Amino acid sequence: MAARPDHILALLSASALTALARADVVTYADHVRPILAARCLNCHDADKAKGDLDLSTYAAAMRGSSGGRVAAPGDPDGSPLVGAVEHTREPYMPPRSAKLSDADLATIRAWVAGGCLESSEGAPAAPRPTVTLAAAPTDGAAFDLLALALPQETRPPSARAPVAYALAAHPTVPLVALVAGRQVLVHDAANGALGGALGGALVGAFDGGDDDIATLRFSRDGRFVVAGCGFAAARGSVRVWSLPDGDEVVRVGRETDVALAADVDTLRSRVALGGPSRVVKVFALGAEEPVAKLTKHTDWVTAVAFSPDAALLASADRAGGIFLWEAETLAPYLALAPHAARVTALDWSADGNLLVSASEDGKIRIHDANDGHVVREWAAHEGGVTAMTLTPDGKVASGGRDRTVRVWNPDGSLVVAGQPLDAIVVAVAATAGNAEIVASDLSGRVVRYRRADLGVAGTLDTNPRPLDERRALAAAAGDATALWRLEGGPLRRARDDARRALDDARAVAQPAVGAGASARRSREEAERAHAAATAALAALPDRIADATAQCEEAKAARAHVATELATAAERRGARGSDREALAAVADRMRAAAADPAADPTLREASTKADEALAAADRALAAATESERTRAAALADADAAIARLEREREARAAERAALPSSIAALAARMAEAYEAERVAAAQAEEALRPARECEARVAAAEAAYAAHRRARPGAGAVSGGASGSAAAAGSPAGSPPAP
């Protein structure tokens, strides 16, 4: 049936419209490849492929390089290829050459923005998958904030508030730890009953002693505070404090420079640290030597982070390098695309599949930990990103040299930006429950932002007042919880002082205790020597009798051997006489047989005479050997008799001497008893202060335990703790995991 004219016109019109639309589409085959062939394929074709990047075919170009994808369909700003040719991202391409023309740059950008079409007939490349960084429900320690029993003493306040160069947020409760000088201050960041009139209450402090504290984090299970400490060009270590009691549980590493990066793998009880040595060291908790030294970095190590599933360890350095290691074997796993400047922070997605890095090059990058390709990248802060962390709802919070704090979606789109701070941002943290973002700057301020709009919710103190003043303020405000916690500070300090005094007293007493132990060993040695000598004297008569009997047996055996020797000598003499007679006969027979006229029977007789002479020689030799053997046996018997007689004489002499030796040993044993008695008395006297300290320790521990039992609202969670405990699936007031 013939087609209707109007239908044919419609089809032609549709085709014309499609052709017109396609004419404006930028494709790889028609537009981009000619540009690449002219300027890029000398280094990036199938034969050379520098950096594992082959741009000669569409499939190869979309596959990307060793650093991941270079073209992100629909996202030119997030595509390394666009940044490289536009000279907004290193390495600039083409290298050591002018940029492409503006028209060529516009073509490449339009191609990526249009979905990276292969040809005019093709469909746009699949967009990149949605990136999810949201945290899964936390299985870490959930505990009643009121049960915290951290040290309360802080260093005297300084004229100017110290800069909080490091911040860390607890994964399940609204605790924020910050570095303030050479101490770590732990704040309850929630406003409400726990904060009371003080708001954002200081709930404890850890003193760093003579060490600076360079890095800080909570373990992922929330049971530990981990700090990289040290002093520049002098020493470095990682210190780990426990929650909720605040005791230092371990100190790892004996570095010659400060530990700039640290993290703990609670699954395998390992600590990783890095710093100016350019080496990442991994220690078993409590070990003095590392189980591994990871040596791929070419500059100071600035960040380390174990993945949440403890499958991988990430490390980064001042040159921008990022490496992944297998956490179990610590073997190299991947080298990720490097940043152009110092890496300032690393953080993992909840499932451990994505690693987020931030750098002084101003960019935040999301890496796929499975194959290493760059999933997303965006310019976050002009001048550099100085701090970064993931929020519980899967956003990225960052701070930079532009003095701003910002929150980003994982696709790089901005969620919200805060008002600029007074100075460069140096650290950021996101509190549990997605309530707040906390940021610190170089002016010494620590600002609490509402997560929703980054409006300022308050501040945290880096320069707290002395304990007595804080206690008076809490009493005046009627804040029973804060007052209880602060009053526990002196009790805890008294307990800790008593423990240290006990350790000191034991150390002072140790020489006396050691002398007492040495005296006891000397007395035991004297007892053993006296007992051995007495036993030897009792055994000597039997030994002498045995030696005498053996000597008599040897003499009897010698007499028998002497008789045999005489018989052998007589036999040898007889054999000698017989041989001489046979020799004379054989000589005469040989002479007679030598006559040519001799009877043949005479020659036969001569032969037999020679044979008889040979037999006589053999008999004589046998007799001679028998005599020699008997003579040797007689000599052996004489030697044995002499030895046995000497042994018997020695036993007799020993028997005569032993009584005096036993008497001397008895005197030595008596002296040892007296020395031990004196040393034991001296040790007991030296230990008396330690015994008194033990009583003081017991009393101090009892007083502190009674104070803790008497806390206000014991068994109930209030304020910020309630939501955190419930979120973790634990009943209110449940104690922390051991």
Side-chain angles (χ1 to χ4, degrees):
M1 176 172 133
R4 291 170 49 195
D6 58 346
H7 182 62
I8 293 173
L9 288 173
L11 290 174
L12 290 173
S13 298
S15 299
L17 289 173
T18 301
L20 288 173
R22 287 290 185 181
D24 294 333
V25 171
V26 179
T27 69
Y28 173 85
D30 297 331
H31 306 94
V32 174
R33 194 183 190 287
I35 299 172
L36 299 177
R39 299 295 301 273
C40 303
L41 297 191
N42 284 339
C43 296
H44 296 289
D45 63 1
D47 295 328
K48 297 178 182 177
K50 289 186 177 180
D52 291 333
L53 177 61
D54 175 11
L55 297 174
S56 62
T57 68
Y58 176 79
M62 297 307 296
R63 186 167 54 247
S65 68
S66 59
R69 285 187 177 185
V70 297
D75 184 10
D77 291 331
S79 298
L81 175 63
V82 176
V85 297
E86 290 181 346
H87 289 195
T88 60
R89 170 178 177 163
E90 293 184 347
Y92 297 157
M93 293 295 165
R96 298 178 300 278
S97 179
K99 287 196 299 182
L100 304 181
S101 68
D102 291 343
D104 288 346
L105 293 176
T107 297
I108 294 175
R109 172 172 280 275
W111 173 63
V112 175
C116 297
L117 286 172
E118 180 178 8
S119 66
S120 59
E121 303 301 324
R128 291 182 294 181
T130 301
V131 182
T132 301
L133 301 174
T138 304
D139 294 328
F143 54 87
D144 183 356
L145 281 181
L146 297 178
L148 282 175
L150 306 182
Q152 295 297 311
E153 288 74 17
T154 56
R155 296 197 170 203
S158 56
R160 180 179 178 181
V163 176
Y165 284 104
L167 296 172
H170 193 278
T172 62
V173 292
L175 288 181
V176 174
L178 59 87
V179 173
R182 291 182 172 177
Q183 61 185 343
V184 175
L185 304 179
V186 182
H187 288 269
D188 163 36
N191 282 314
L194 286 176
L198 301 180
L202 177 68
V203 296
F206 304 113
D207 195 276
D210 294 331
D211 285 343
D212 296 323
I213 301 171
T215 184
L216 188 66
R217 70 169 66 223
F218 286 92
S219 62
R220 290 190 178 273
D221 61 8
R223 295 188 299 140
F224 303 102
V225 177
V226 183
C229 308
F231 193 79
R235 60 185 178 272
S237 64
V238 174
R239 300 172 70 172
V240 181
W241 293 281
S242 65
L243 295 178
D245 55 18
D247 291 331
E248 182 176 321
V249 294
V250 71
R251 190 178 300 194
V252 172
R254 293 179 295 181
E255 304 303 293
T256 57
D257 213 326
V258 64
L260 299 176
D263 197 10
V264 60
D265 172 7
T266 54
L267 178 64
R268 298 180 184 87
S269 296
R270 288 177 173 177
V271 169
L273 65 86
S277 69
R278 300 178 294 175
V279 177
V280 177
K281 297 181 181 180
V282 181
F283 292 81
L285 289 179
E288 293 188 358
E289 297 299 325
V291 298
K293 296 180 179 180
L294 314 180
T295 57
K296 284 187 174 293
H297 289 285
T298 60
D299 208 331
W300 292 11
V301 176
T302 55
V304 295
F306 285 101
S307 62
D309 56 4
L312 295 174
L313 168 64
S315 59
D317 60 41
R318 191 171 64 171
I322 306 174
F323 297 95
L324 298 183
W325 316 83
E326 295 179 357
E328 176 71 28
T329 63
L330 298 173
Y333 179 66
L334 281 176
L336 301 182
H339 281 276
R342 180 172 71 99
V343 175
T344 54
L346 296 174
D347 206 352
W348 287 91
S349 64
D351 59 8
N353 287 323
L354 300 173
L355 177 70
V356 185
S357 61
S359 170
E360 288 276 15
D361 64 7
K363 296 175 181 177
I364 293 175
R365 187 177 292 168
I366 301 177
H367 311 260
D368 189 319
N370 297 298
D371 59 16
H373 80 270
V374 177
V375 179
R376 290 286 192 278
E377 178 185 89
W378 64 91
H381 293 271
E382 184 177 354
V385 184
T386 54
M388 182 275 297
T389 188
L390 298 186
T391 65
D393 63 347
K395 302 296 190 287
V396 181
S398 64
R401 291 187 175 275
D402 58 7
R403 300 184 294 133
T404 65
V405 174
R406 299 175 180 178
V407 178
W408 310 86
N409 286 312
D411 62 4
S413 60
L414 182 65
V415 177
V416 63
Q419 291 297 313
L421 293 175
D422 297 336
I424 294 172
V425 179
V426 293
V428 295
T431 63
N434 206 40
E436 293 182 346
I437 303 295
V438 182
S440 60
D441 67 13
L442 283 177
S443 72
R445 292 184 68 204
V446 179
V447 179
R448 296 164 43 227
Y449 294 98
R450 292 185 298 272
R451 165 64 184 80
D453 58 3
L454 287 191
V456 175
T459 61
L460 298 179
D461 193 3
T462 63
N463 203 22
R465 303 183 185 194
L467 177 60
D468 290 343
E469 292 186 23
R470 285 184 279 133
R471 189 162 48 193
L473 285 172
D479 191 329
T481 298
L483 185 61
W484 168 82
R485 181 177 286 122
L486 292 167
E487 287 179 341
L491 295 174
R492 179 192 176 98
R493 181 177 59 198
R495 182 204 66 178
D496 294 342
D497 289 346
R499 287 176 175 176
R500 284 190 290 270
L502 176 58
D503 292 339
D504 292 343
R506 285 173 174 169
V508 170
Q510 185 55 44
V513 173
S518 177
R520 183 180 65 255
R521 289 192 295 271
S522 297
R523 185 261 304 164
E524 291 171 348
E525 290 174 1
E527 286 180 338
R528 287 193 294 271
H530 183 271
T534 302
L537 180 61
L540 275 177
D542 290 340
R543 295 180 66 186
I544 292 173
D546 289 344
T548 300
Q550 291 176 14
C551 187
E552 294 303 322
E553 291 176 1
K555 287 179 178 179
R558 181 194 183 285
H560 178 70
V561 171
T563 300
E564 289 183 341
L565 177 60
T567 301
E570 291 176 0
R571 187 178 297 114
R572 179 188 57 74
R575 297 290 184 271
S577 298
D578 293 344
R579 196 262 176 204
E580 289 176 1
L582 282 171
V585 172
D587 289 343
R588 290 195 299 273
M589 294 295 289
R590 280 194 298 275
D595 188 352
D599 189 340
T601 58
L602 185 59
R603 284 194 291 274
E604 183 179 352
S606 175
T607 300
K608 290 182 178 179
D610 286 340
E611 292 175 350
L613 179 60
D617 285 340
R618 289 193 293 274
L620 178 59
T624 301
E625 178 61 23
S626 177
E627 182 182 14
R628 188 195 65 75
T629 300
R630 297 315 187 270
L634 184 63
D636 289 344
D638 288 339
I641 291 170
R643 176 179 58 77
L644 290 169
E645 286 181 342
R646 286 195 302 272
E647 183 177 347
R648 181 175 60 182
E649 291 170 358
R651 297 294 175 268
E654 186 178 354
R655 183 179 184 181
L658 266 178
S660 59
S661 296
I662 291 173
L665 288 171
R668 174 187 162 192
M669 186 168 60
E671 292 173 357
Y673 274 117
E674 177 61 18
E676 181 184 19
R677 185 192 66 77
V678 172
Q682 292 174 344
E684 185 62 29
E685 179 65 20
L687 282 171
R688 187 170 49 164
R691 309 274 190 231
E692 296 172 355
C693 287
E694 287 174 354
R696 288 199 297 271
V697 167
E701 289 181 341
Y704 186 55
H707 172 77
R708 292 194 61 188
R709 288 193 298 271
R711 65 186 173 90
V717 181
S718 59
S722 58
S724 303
S730 297
S734 60

